[in-house]
Structures are given as C-alpha cells and as structure tokens.
Amino acid sequence: MAFPTETVYGLGADASNPAALRKVFAAKGRPADHPLIVHIADMSELKHWAAEVPRAAWLLAEKFWPGPLTMVLKRSSHVNDLISGGQNTIGLRVPGHPVAQQLLKAFGAGIAAPSANKFGRLSPTTAQHVREELGDAVEIVLDGGPCDVGIESTIVDLSREPPAILRPGRVSAQQIADALLVPLGEPSGERPRMPGSLATHYAPRTPLMRVHADEIENFIRRQAPGAAVAVLARRSRPRDSRAALWQVAPQSPEEYAQHLYALLRRMDSAGCALLVVESPPDLPEWAAVHDRLSRAAVEPLLPAVAAGAAAR
Ligand code: TXA
Ligand code: MG
C-alpha cells in the first residue's frame, strides 16, 4: 500500500512481515541489500526497534518528530534482515502527515516504507505520481494531496560518534547540530551503504544538467544547438530564449524543494532531449536541493549526450 507523508509518498509494508517486505523490493526493483526506513507512530516505539537509544536520539525526537527526520540507530536483534539490508543499524522516522499518522495508529505497528518510485527514479509527491511509477504493482494508494516538504527526509546517523548527516533534507545540519550542541562529523567511507548515495539516484529519464543562471542561453546555443531543451530556472524566460520549454521555479529553498520533483516530472514528459536546471545559490539553506540535483544530473556532459541532444 502506498501512503502520503509530508516528505514524499511511501510504499508501505508491515515491518515484521518478510513476505510483505519482499513485495516492496519487487515492486520497486530495488536491490535487497539496501535498507528500508521503519515508520513509527511516536517516539515511544524507538525502544522496540533500536538496541540502544542514545540521549541524542531522544533530543532530536523531542525537537523534530513528528517530522521530516530519519535517525539511524543500532538495531534490535528482532529486526528483519530485509529492513536493515544486512547492516547492524535501522532507520526510524515518525512522519507528521495526518494520513500517515492515522495509518500508523490504526495499524499499531511499524511500517517499513521506501519512497514509492521505481529504484533510481524521482520520488512521487502526489498519489497520481505513485500510480504512474508503480502501476498495478501497488493495490492501494491513499491520496493525501501533494506533499508539503517535497523531498525525502533528512537522515542523521546516530549509530556512531560523531553523528553525521547521511542525506540532507528540510531539517538542516545546522538545526541538528544546534539541538545536539555538538559538531557533526562527515559521513565516512565506512558509513552504511545507501542507494541515496549512489552517483545517480532520483533521476529523470531525460539527461539533466545544471548550468549557471547567466550561462543558460549560451549553453543551449553552444552545447545543444537545434535540440529541444527544457529549462528550470528561478527567473522568467528571456525574450530571445531558444528553450523549447521554460519552467519558472519558486524562489525560496523550501518552496523550490516542495515542487522540485513535480516540476522535473513535468519537464521529463515534455519530450525534450535535455533538461537544463539553473544552479541554485551556493548557500547552506540550498544544501538539500543541491544534493538532489547533483544526483539527478549527468555531468560532465558526455560527448554522446551532447551529440544525441544536438541530433534530435
Ligand atoms: O522521506 C523519506 O525518508 C521517505 C518517506 C516515505 O519516509 N522515505 C524514503 O525511503 O526516502 P527510501 O528507502 O527511498 O530512502 C531511504 C534511505 C535510503 O537511501 C536507505 O539506504 C537509507 O535511507 N537507510 C535506511 N536505513 C538505513 C540504515 N540503517 N543505515 C543507513 N541508511 C539507511
Ligand atoms: Mg527513495
């Protein structure tokens, strides 16, 4: 069953039912060694899923749950290997969306849920997007309207010292450091595997490139002359633009993130040869957007892509 959360839609399964978990992997086409986040109704369930709940976890739970934050903790011994992907940790989150909350309360146990998209694709932020992604592979899609946050939760690893951000999101690294009163570490090579850290993830089908705002027209002229190019930028379309489609994005990082995947989906289905996205400002409040765009991008532009784009 797919259900809305405030970040993106999830494809849920009873976290203690291996058969249900296998169906989730099959529907997504996701490799079995990639761990799932378990969604819980409230922080009192932390103790059930985690072997140790450090003080830092209680602090962050108090401050940010329910909300768009996932904590990675040492797992309890009963946690199914399908959830932890063979690692000794577990990702836990209390979502804030009222439909997710009602579902968790009614179900009365943990729900493992990855984003409800095919492996490697953009996460869905509406019920319609879930249908387009997964089709018949999902029987029920609870429609809770478009997601408020629009990108996946922040993931903080509290299973080792110092804590580190594994995936940036709406809850910022600074907010977490301020709440914990400790500096955060860098995720090291020994950190757990996660598909979100593969080079390309959250990608549209059409090749995507990031280009500085002032360079967009030059870029199209030089790199993709004659190609149908779709542009996503925070400024309005210049009069003489050669873009086939010019999509104006919101100004603030929060609203930009909220609409990002829906905008990329729309551009992806416009039949263009190339998507050009204006590089957002190089500021901490844009970290999560930068992260998602860098995963969606094919860079540097491969000669074959440039040639293909030019030919179409
Ligand atoms: O906002 C979200 O987090 C959404 C909604 C549905 O809650 N879920 C989501 O799930 O984005 P998914 O599976 O698409 O991405 C979860 C990420 C993956 O990159 C996974 O590897 C990582 O979390 N993850 C899960 N458990 C982990 C663990 N124990 N250690 C490290 N990474 C973990
Ligand atoms: Mg995902």
Side-chain angles (χ1 to χ4, degrees):
M1 172 204 288
F3 64 98
T5 82
E6 69 277 34
T7 56
V8 300
Y9 276 70
L11 180 62
D14 178 349
S16 41
N17 179 342
L21 295 170
R22 278 196 203 94
K23 275 172 117 179
V24 165
F25 282 92
K28 278 186 67 89
R30 176 165 172 156
D33 62 349
H34 288 160
L36 301 177
I37 294 172
V38 174
H39 297 68
I40 52 180
D42 61 67
M43 66 170 111
S44 68
E45 290 179 46
L46 271 174
K47 294 191 294 254
H48 174 70
W49 294 100
E52 281 167 38
V53 184
R55 206 177 82 88
W58 295 118
L59 280 173
L60 295 183
E62 280 285 348
K63 188 139 182 109
F64 299 110
W65 279 356
L69 177 71
T70 296
M71 299 188 217
V72 170
L73 300 173
K74 296 211 173 76
R75 68 165 181 165
S76 261
S77 54
H78 66 79
V79 172
N80 195 288
D81 267 343
L82 287 166
I83 288 177
S84 50
Q87 308 179 51
N88 63 355
T89 56
I90 182 168
L92 293 161
R93 174 161 106 85
V94 175
H97 193 292
V99 175
Q101 275 285 327
Q102 282 168 34
L103 178 68
L104 286 163
K105 290 213 170 89
F107 186 61
I111 297 182
S115 51
N117 51 280
K118 289 277 187 195
F119 181 65
R121 297 287 166 198
L122 299 170
S123 296
T125 53
T126 67
Q128 178 61 31
H129 295 167
V130 176
R131 282 271 170 238
E132 289 165 17
E133 278 289 320
L134 299 179
D136 293 343
V138 54
E139 277 166 45
I140 301 169
V141 183
L142 296 181
D143 190 344
C147 301
D148 276 348
V149 176
I151 54 170
E152 305 79 0
S153 59
T154 306
I155 303 181
V156 60
D157 185 355
L158 299 177
S159 71
R160 30 186 120 185
E161 294 285 341
I165 303 289
L166 301 183
R167 179 173 72 184
R170 167 71 75 85
V171 176
S172 71
Q174 190 61 54
Q175 282 175 294
I176 291 174
D178 288 351
L180 296 180
L181 300 173
V182 295
L184 300 178
E186 285 296 318
S188 74
E190 302 153 44
R191 294 264 168 194
R193 261 184 322 264
M194 45 193 299
S197 53
L198 292 180
T200 306
H201 198 62
Y202 314 122
R205 285 169 212 282
T206 318
L208 180 151
M209 308 232 17
R210 292 163 297 168
V211 177
H212 272 286
D214 305 335
E215 292 294 324
I216 292 176
E217 288 307 319
N218 263 339
F219 178 87
I220 297 177
R221 204 163 287 136
R222 287 210 206 103
Q223 304 282 333
V229 177
V231 175
L232 180 66
R234 294 192 304 146
R235 55 175 64 176
S236 55
R237 180 190 183 101
R239 274 171 186 277
D240 59 347
S241 174
R242 296 192 181 196
L245 172 71
W246 187 286
Q247 188 75 57
V248 178
Q251 296 297 319
S252 76
E254 291 79 17
E255 279 180 84
Y256 190 109
Q258 185 187 356
H259 297 287
L260 178 62
Y261 289 155
L263 289 169
L264 289 180
R265 264 173 205 279
R266 190 183 304 164
M267 291 166 67
D268 203 14
S269 59
C272 289
L274 189 64
L275 311 184
V276 168
V277 178
E278 171 197 319
S279 312
D282 226 345
L283 296 169
E285 56 266 36
W286 288 89
V289 166
H290 273 292
D291 173 72
R292 301 315 189 275
L293 286 177
S294 69
R295 295 174 196 290
V298 284
E299 285 168 14
L301 185 60
L302 307 168
V305 173
R312 265 176 271 184

